[in-house]
Amino acid sequence: TTDVASESADAATASLEQDGSLNALVTSAGLPDIVVVGVVRYCGDGHTPARGACEPCTRGWYKSEPDNSSCVACPSNASTASSGSARMTDCSCLPGFLLATPSMSASVFCAACPADSYCPGGSTEQACPQNTVSAPRSSQLRDCACNKGFHGLPEQCEPCPPGQYKASPGPEACVPCPGNSFSPAGSTSVGECVCNAGFQPRDTGGCGACQAGTYRTVGQPACVRCEAGKFQASAGATTCETCPGGTLPGAGATTCFEAERTPQCFSTSLALEGASGQRDPAARRQH
């Protein structure tokens, strides 16, 4: 009797497997984990035999048929939302990847998120905000960083203020220009910092003040000497002052004093002055 029953169960199972009714039987019976046909046990879709029972496929794996085969791994860079998945369509791209299109690649299921955007997973791609950049495979908004010349949060990057610069993308703050130099807003390198008026580039770097007797305005490559008839007593000047009428110092003068009397008149007057400090009228007339 037992042999006959077993043979009947085997025949029934073979018949179900052959005409495809086994899948219908599982669906209609509502038994996703174990299906018994006669004396044969089948694991439902999303489940696989393990330790004498049917256990759900772990996350990242799926199984679409009610049989005793093993679960199948999702494609590279993809996973399932939970265990017990029954279809490949349950596999979704991991953060940093997005569902590949034919224009991206015909050989992969999930493609790396492109630069300057971020992909939270699945088929979603978001462009980074204006004035920000990101590396490939970025997965969230905070992966977008302000571009060089900009600072702040990714949602609102602003240009570096005048007198500062930022040479690389990232969350870092803008850097002040070296002393006595200035740069326009949004500068991206220290090379954009130019010496202030009254200062000139030094061979050793930075900016040094123009010496007395010289000046510099913005746009001039270096300090220049004061013109004849003008002087500058201070360092770091942006212009020269005109001497009073009748005084004509040479170029680069630091004072008008030497122009009050010519050297010849100055030496003659000294020679004609007596011990009392009074000049001889005759000598004055000669002069």
Side-chain angles (χ1 to χ4, degrees):
T1 304
T2 303
D3 294 339
V4 173
S6 178
E7 291 175 1
S8 298
D10 291 343
T13 301
S15 177
L16 288 171
E17 290 178 335
Q18 183 175 4
D19 63 12
S21 301
L22 181 57
N23 195 24
L25 173 62
V26 174
T27 303
S28 62
L31 300 172
D33 53 348
I34 301 176
V35 177
V36 179
V37 179
V39 294
V40 182
R41 294 164 58 90
Y42 290 96
C43 292
D45 50 7
H47 293 73
T48 189
R51 293 181 289 274
C54 290
E55 294 186 355
C57 298
T58 57
R59 287 189 61 179
W61 297 71
Y62 68 95
K63 178 170 161 286
S64 57
E65 295 296 332
D67 55 27
N68 288 336
S69 61
S70 300
C71 299
V72 180
C74 287
S76 297
N77 306 312
S79 185
T80 56
S82 61
S83 60
S85 295
R87 295 171 297 276
M88 180 179 173
T89 53
D90 293 335
C91 297
S92 180
C93 294
L94 296 172
F97 296 84
L98 75 159
L99 191 64
T101 62
S103 61
M104 293 180 180
S105 174
S107 60
V108 297
F109 183 77
C110 295
C113 192
D116 302 334
S117 61
Y118 63 98
C119 303
S123 58
T124 304
E125 177 187 357
Q126 297 285 346
C128 283
Q130 187 176 13
N131 300 319
T132 65
V133 295
S134 70
R137 301 190 180 185
S138 295
S139 60
Q140 49 194 336
L141 175 60
R142 69 180 183 182
D143 292 332
C144 301
C146 292
N147 207 346
K148 56 184 181 180
F150 291 83
H151 70 118
L153 298 174
E155 297 88 340
Q156 189 174 7
C157 293
E158 299 180 349
C160 291
Q164 299 185 23
Y165 68 95
K166 181 162 165 271
S168 60
E172 296 81 11
C174 301
V175 180
C177 284
N180 304 311
S181 64
F182 196 75
S183 67
S187 293
T188 60
S189 73
V190 67
E192 295 184 63
C193 299
V194 296
C195 294
N196 294 333
F199 294 80
Q200 67 179 352
R202 294 182 299 199
D203 294 339
T204 56
C207 300
C210 293
Q211 296 179 350
T214 66
Y215 73 99
R216 178 179 173 271
T217 60
V218 175
Q220 289 178 315
C223 303
V224 294
R225 300 171 66 193
C226 293
E227 298 89 340
K230 295 184 178 182
F231 78 101
Q232 181 51 254
S234 301
T238 60
T239 186
C240 293
E241 300 179 35
T242 302
C243 287
T247 58
L248 297 173
T254 60
T255 176
C256 291
F257 174 76
E258 59 264 35
E260 291 179 347
R261 290 173 292 187
T262 64
Q264 291 82 5
C265 288
F266 184 72
S267 59
T268 303
S269 298
L270 287 175
L272 295 176
E273 289 180 5
S276 63
Q278 300 295 320
R279 290 185 180 181
D280 184 344
R284 186 179 295 112
R285 285 194 298 272
Q286 280 183 347
H287 178 64

